[in-house]
Amino acid sequence: MAVSIKSAREIELMRHSASLLEDVFFRLGEAIRPGISTKEIDRLGERLIRNHGCEPNFLNYNGYPASICVSVNDEVVHGIPHSAHILQEGDIVSLDAGLIYKGYHSDMARTFAVGKISKEAEKLIAVTRQSFFEGIKMARAGNHLFDISNAIDAYVTPFGYGIVRDLVGHGIGLKLHEDPQVPNFAQKRKGLLLRAGMTLAIEPMINMGRADVEWLNDDWTVVTEDGSLSAHYENTILITDGEPEILTMSGKCD
Ligand code: MF3
Ligand code: CO
């Protein structure tokens, strides 16, 4: 496993890539409302990315046919946008997007409420978000990678939710997916030693019901096997000698 350590110059480019992505997300969040189609969200997202002079990194990635992954309700991740898929009041929608700025990738996801949603759905979204923050408390030079995984699991499991195991976070930089893989569930081993200059995408995917997922016939959309709701929360972060830096959270987005 070759985990890259970014130079000061690379970190500056990663910061900029991530801050442009955060701006895209801020605007996408404002566009979420009952009546918008998932395809319109994709088109808007792609336009915002290109207006920043960047490339969408998901488009054509292993054949993925859109720029933004739009996953509604029991769709966990990698939902394919469709003009016939209209968001309804009470839905929850996970957006996952990334971009390339001067060769450097950023990656981010949020789950949004469409209009008024149930208390249970609100709680799922809040716990998924908080699980990321529990994880990155451990994201410090000198700790081990799986300290992050263990912290996410220890926080989420008491809620009775299912932590998705089939998909994981990842290193990020000159490629969207670099080593190492970052699981969101408890690990027996310690994992690699974290060092300043590592950049990671940490992305818990949490189901209200069981952890099991399946793939739809489009070969992309991942759904919960039991039909329960699922939420996703992802940021691109930098390991430093002190507090981790959340590169996709410089102020605009929660
Ligand atoms: N954001 C996803 C990830 O974190 C990548 C989506 S890949 C795509 O790994 F092909 F669906 F775009
Ligand atoms: Co990712």
Side-chain angles (χ1 to χ4, degrees), residues 28-104:
L28 284 175
E30 289 193 315
I32 298 296
R33 53 172 170 78
I36 193 171
S37 76
T38 58
K39 184 72 194 173
E40 285 172 278
I41 295 169
D42 176 52
R43 275 204 224 96
L44 173 61
E46 177 165 357
R47 190 165 72 236
L48 292 166
I49 290 169
R50 292 197 191 281
N51 283 348
H52 280 311
C54 298
E55 296 285 323
N57 47 6
F58 294 4
L59 185 62
N60 299 322
Y61 181 88
N62 292 338
Y64 184 74
S67 297
I68 317 290
C69 296
V70 187
S71 308
V72 183
N73 294 336
D74 64 324
E75 295 173 354
V76 180
V77 287
H78 304 169
I80 297 178
H82 289 291
S83 50
H85 194 162
I86 310 292
L87 295 185
Q88 314 283 335
E89 175 100 19
D91 285 345
I92 64 172
V93 60
S94 301
L95 305 187
D96 188 351
L99 58 77
I100 312 170
Y101 169 75
K102 295 192 177 169
Y104 285 84

Side-chain angles (χ1 to χ4, degrees), residues 58 78 96-97 107-109 168-172 176-177 201-203 232 234-236:
F58 294 4
H78 304 169
D96 188 351
D107 187 6
M108 178 174 182
V168 295
H170 48 93
I172 181 167
L176 172 58
H177 293 141
I202 299 179
E203 49 176 320
H232 188 195
E234 175 178 28
N235 287 301
T236 297

Side-chain angles (χ1 to χ4, degrees), residues 1-189:
M1 180 163 57
V3 177
S4 65
I5 302 293
K6 273 72 179 179
S7 67
R9 174 189 152 270
E10 290 183 294
I11 289 169
E12 213 30 72
L13 293 170
M14 292 287 298
R15 264 196 201 107
H16 199 72
S17 176
S19 75
L20 295 176
L21 181 59
E22 184 180 5
D23 181 66
V24 169
F25 258 83
F26 176 72
R27 291 157 190 254
L28 284 175
E30 289 193 315
I32 298 296
R33 53 172 170 78
I36 193 171
S37 76
T38 58
K39 184 72 194 173
E40 285 172 278
I41 295 169
D42 176 52
R43 275 204 224 96
L44 173 61
E46 177 165 357
R47 190 165 72 236
L48 292 166
I49 290 169
R50 292 197 191 281
N51 283 348
H52 280 311
C54 298
E55 296 285 323
N57 47 6
F58 294 4
L59 185 62
N60 299 322
Y61 181 88
N62 292 338
Y64 184 74
S67 297
I68 317 290
C69 296
V70 187
S71 308
V72 183
N73 294 336
D74 64 324
E75 295 173 354
V76 180
V77 287
H78 304 169
I80 297 178
H82 289 291
S83 50
H85 194 162
I86 310 292
L87 295 185
Q88 314 283 335
E89 175 100 19
D91 285 345
I92 64 172
V93 60
S94 301
L95 305 187
D96 188 351
L99 58 77
I100 312 170
Y101 169 75
K102 295 192 177 169
Y104 285 84
H105 291 252
S106 47
D107 187 6
M108 178 174 182
R110 292 289 185 273
T111 301
F112 297 96
V114 183
K116 180 139 185 61
I117 61 171
S118 70
K119 282 273 163 288
E120 292 76 17
E122 272 175 11
K123 182 173 162 196
L124 175 70
I125 293 172
V127 169
T128 303
R129 176 181 186 278
Q130 186 58 31
S131 75
F132 165 87
F133 288 97
E134 298 298 323
I136 63 148
K137 282 180 193 167
M138 309 307 288
R140 307 177 73 97
N143 281 357
H144 289 82
L145 182 67
F146 297 155
D147 293 335
I148 301 173
S149 312
N150 295 343
I152 294 171
D153 191 319
Y155 174 72
V156 172
T157 297
F159 290 95
Y161 295 151
I163 303 173
V164 174
R165 305 170 85 89
D166 300 63
L167 300 137
V168 295
H170 48 93
I172 181 167
L174 281 169
K175 290 189 294 180
L176 172 58
H177 293 141
E178 297 186 350
D179 286 337
Q181 295 200 353
V182 187
N184 299 301
F185 52 96
Q187 304 291 307
K188 292 202 177 70
R189 291 174 299 113

